[in-house]
Amino acid sequence: MDKASLGKAGEDFACERLREKGYTVTERNFHSRRGEIDIIAEDESTIAFVEVKARSKKSVSMPRESVDKTKQRKIILTAVMYLQTHPVQKSPRFDVFEVWHDERGIYKFCHIKNAFDLSVLGGEYELF
């Protein structure tokens, strides 16, 4: 499976699991000039900005390791842009959804809630 197909399958799987947990998926692949968010999902009190990372069984690193500080900053700033045009009265949260594939399909996943927060921005930005 090529990288794009692996990523799409991972996002599809993550959406299914989120829906099973009671979330409504409101956006997929939201783009702004700051970056992209794979999935935006809401439950009664939370809006979750979810980064999906899929890896093959042969990968030597954990999927979450690729969501470094630079990627986190891009996701947060993209979420701010999303919230400016889609205001909600819900608490924002930043998650990472890991998916592992082998030749038969997805065999393991991990939904990491609150994987990172605004502290990655430091004092550099004032969000309001």
Side-chain angles (χ1 to χ4, degrees):
M1 186 179 289
D2 66 21
K3 189 175 179 179
S5 298
L6 189 71
K8 176 151 179 7
E11 287 178 17
D12 291 345
F13 180 83
C15 284
E16 289 174 27
R17 297 293 82 73
L18 288 166
R19 286 184 187 108
E20 287 174 1
K21 291 181 178 183
Y23 290 86
T24 300
V25 174
T26 55
E27 293 271 348
R28 286 187 66 175
N29 306 113
F30 175 79
H31 291 269
S32 79
R33 61 185 167 92
R34 296 285 191 173
E36 183 214 2
I37 298 172
D38 294 329
I39 300 169
I40 301 172
E42 298 180 42
D43 65 11
E44 291 180 15
S45 61
T46 306
I47 181 165
F49 299 95
V50 184
E51 178 68 9
V52 179
K53 290 297 176 187
R55 295 288 183 267
S56 70
K57 190 174 188 174
K58 298 174 188 174
S59 179
V60 295
S61 65
M62 297 290 287
R64 71 186 79 164
E65 292 173 3
S66 64
V67 187
D68 60 10
K69 300 282 187 210
T70 300
K71 181 68 174 172
Q72 292 173 20
R73 291 167 69 93
K74 288 179 180 181
I75 292 168
I76 290 168
L77 295 173
T78 301
V80 169
M81 294 185 85
Y82 177 84
L83 290 170
Q84 287 173 342
T85 58
H86 302 82
V88 294
Q89 298 298 313
K90 297 181 180 190
S91 299
R93 188 179 75 213
F94 300 96
D95 298 354
V96 173
F97 201 104
E98 299 177 305
V99 179
W100 287 268
H101 293 261
D102 65 13
E103 58 282 345
R104 293 183 306 253
I106 294 169
Y107 69 92
K108 183 167 84 168
F109 69 94
C110 180
H111 179 192
I112 306 165
K113 295 179 180 179
N114 290 309
F116 56 93
D117 60 30
L118 297 178
S119 64
V120 71
L121 296 178
E124 189 175 334
Y125 294 92
E126 184 176 328
L127 304 176
F128 51 91

